[in-house]
Amino acid sequence: MTNTAEVSNNSQMTPDALKKWLPPERLPPPKPIEEINKMPNRIIETMKGQVILITGATGFLGKVLLEKILRICDIDTVYLLIRNKKGKEPRQRVEEIYNSPLFFKVKEKMDSATFSRKVIGIAGDVAEPNLGLSEESRKLLVDRVNIVYHAAATIRFDEPLKRAVLLNTRGTKLMLELAKQMKKLE
């Protein structure tokens, strides 16, 4: 058994003390990069022709996720749950995403008309009851979406606690409830 004094200060943990915390079995050595590159890309295969819903797509994680999906995958449609902000509607905010520097490689693959056809902003807000979705938008998502990425969250440390709880916990609960209704969810 490891002495608690050994682990109380990680910066002073000795290699012998660390070994006591590691599993005894060893992992196999990593495969050479050439062998990895020959393996099928299961993400590309999984995403082919899919209809995806992403929340939080205007934030850092959501933008990076959207860019990667659009750059390497042949998807059918990506719906972005986006709230109106500063007088801008979801469609305008989607255009801003496309015009951001992160999407320069996506622009090489698809023009703005293709982007507009594949990436559709849906008005909503995970902090609102029923995710702020209209009945028409809810029905569209329930009938079409195969994959959901819920990345909406607030990480502001000065956010009022009530708003942070509504966004980060109730919003997730409401997303799960919506996902349970989705007829084509994989």
Side-chain angles (χ1 to χ4, degrees):
M1 182 103 186
T2 304
N3 183 342
T4 55
E6 289 180 297
V7 294
S8 63
N9 186 349
N10 286 342
S11 64
Q12 295 178 7
M13 186 178 279
T14 65
D16 289 335
L18 184 59
K19 286 179 188 173
K20 294 177 185 176
W21 288 92
L22 296 175
E25 66 277 353
R26 296 208 177 258
L27 295 174
K31 294 181 179 183
I33 193 72
E34 298 82 24
E35 190 176 331
I36 292 171
N37 287 337
K38 291 178 187 175
M39 299 173 84
N41 188 324
R42 290 179 285 172
I43 293 173
I44 292 173
E45 293 170 10
T46 301
M47 295 293 211
K48 187 171 179 66
Q50 299 291 1
V51 177
I52 301 165
L53 170 63
I54 301 175
T55 66
T58 59
F60 174 77
L61 181 64
K63 283 180 184 174
V64 171
L65 174 65
L66 177 62
E67 190 277 340
K68 181 76 169 189
I69 289 170
L70 293 174
R71 185 167 39 87
I72 70 167
C73 301
D74 181 23
I75 51 93
D76 180 285
T77 308
V78 179
Y79 293 107
L80 308 178
L81 185 70
I82 301 178
R83 62 189 163 98
N84 292 330
K85 185 176 180 183
K86 297 179 182 175
K88 294 180 184 173
E89 295 182 5
R91 179 188 49 76
Q92 294 168 302
R93 295 187 73 197
V94 169
E95 288 173 13
E96 288 177 355
I97 291 170
Y98 179 74
N99 291 321
S100 70
L102 176 63
F103 286 77
F104 79 94
K105 285 189 176 181
V106 172
K107 289 177 185 176
E108 292 172 358
K109 181 179 175 183
M110 68 176 68
D111 59 21
S112 65
T114 305
F115 183 89
S116 295
R117 191 178 69 250
K118 287 186 173 271
V119 181
I120 300 168
I122 299 282
D125 187 341
V126 296
E128 297 292 324
N130 296 316
L131 301 170
L133 288 168
S134 69
E135 282 303 314
E136 180 182 319
S137 294
R138 178 175 288 277
K139 181 173 178 5
L140 175 73
L141 297 174
V142 165
D143 290 343
R144 295 210 60 223
V145 170
N146 306 110
I147 298 171
V148 176
Y149 289 101
H150 177 52
T154 181
I155 56 170
R156 292 181 51 183
F157 295 112
D158 61 345
E159 189 83 68
L161 184 59
K162 184 174 183 176
R163 175 153 173 76
V165 168
L166 287 175
L167 185 63
N168 293 343
T169 58
R170 189 180 76 178
T172 300
K173 178 183 179 284
L174 294 173
M175 278 305 305
L176 285 169
E177 289 172 359
L178 176 63
K180 286 180 183 178
Q181 296 173 20
M182 292 177 175
K183 298 172 183 173
K184 297 181 179 180
L185 195 66
E186 292 189 9

